[in-house]
Amino acid sequence: MFAAKRGMWLRTAAALLLVAMSFDPSPAQTQLAQVEAEIPAKLAIVRDLQRALRENDRSWIADRIRYPLRYHGRMVAVIRNRDDFLRNYARFVFDRLRTAILIQDPEQVFENWQGLMIGAGTHNMWLRESGEGEAARYEIVTINDSR
């Protein structure tokens, strides 16, 4: 789904940029570069999250969470800060969640106005983009791991 949306989105963006380029080429070229950079950023965050889970890199994951984090699993919890997440990591990241994220095809990530959902069914993480320009990055805002 992501690959099909990406292709259609890129064709539409390219057509609009061609029209814009006839007026002033420099802003259009800048916009095209931003469009092209946005897609690799989405793929990169999925691959980086998968790597962190494979390597059990708790610190990397904790650094990409927007606190407070909502957790829906065996219990409903609000994770207030990095220390709380790291101290209770084993309670929040179970095998089903890990597996759902690890088998996710980075090009088939579900996306809507709420952000990116990485995983499947009731075992997923939601990420949203925050910041602008060089400071822009995706942050984990919700973990769902219900049975």
Side-chain angles (χ1 to χ4, degrees), residues 75-101:
M75 69 218 153
V76 175
V78 175
I79 303 164
R80 300 272 176 222
N81 55 50
R82 185 179 196 280
D83 290 338
D84 189 22
F85 177 77
L86 290 172
R87 186 174 39 258
N88 297 294
Y89 180 84
R91 294 168 123 181
F92 301 131
V93 182
F94 285 97
D95 288 339
R96 289 183 194 177
L97 175 65
R98 286 175 40 104
T99 301
I101 292 172

Side-chain angles (χ1 to χ4, degrees), residues 35-107:
V35 167
E36 290 172 346
E38 197 172 305
I39 292 169
K42 292 175 187 176
L43 295 175
I45 189 63
V46 176
R47 290 183 182 128
D48 290 346
L49 178 59
Q50 290 172 328
R51 180 204 49 78
L53 286 169
R54 257 191 310 280
E55 296 173 4
N56 201 28
D57 190 347
R58 299 169 182 209
S59 195
W60 185 94
I61 297 168
D63 290 341
R64 272 129 192 107
I65 292 176
R66 183 187 306 165
Y67 297 100
L69 172 76
R70 294 179 310 261
Y71 172 82
H72 304 275
R74 288 182 171 176
M75 69 218 153
V76 175
V78 175
I79 303 164
R80 300 272 176 222
N81 55 50
R82 185 179 196 280
D83 290 338
D84 189 22
F85 177 77
L86 290 172
R87 186 174 39 258
N88 297 294
Y89 180 84
R91 294 168 123 181
F92 301 131
V93 182
F94 285 97
D95 288 339
R96 289 183 194 177
L97 175 65
R98 286 175 40 104
T99 301
I101 292 172
L102 290 173
I103 64 172
Q104 173 74 61
D105 179 352
E107 293 194 16

Side-chain angles (χ1 to χ4, degrees), residues 110-125:
F110 176 78
E111 180 179 12
N112 67 17
W113 63 272
Q114 295 177 343
L116 303 175
M117 183 187 80
I118 303 172
T122 58
H123 309 288
N124 57 66
M125 290 186 183

Side-chain angles (χ1 to χ4, degrees), residues 128-146:
R128 287 194 188 127
E129 193 171 20
S130 68
E132 293 183 18
E134 295 291 319
R137 71 180 202 152
Y138 283 95
E139 295 178 320
I140 301 166
V141 294
T142 302
I143 297 176
N144 295 307
D145 194 22
S146 52

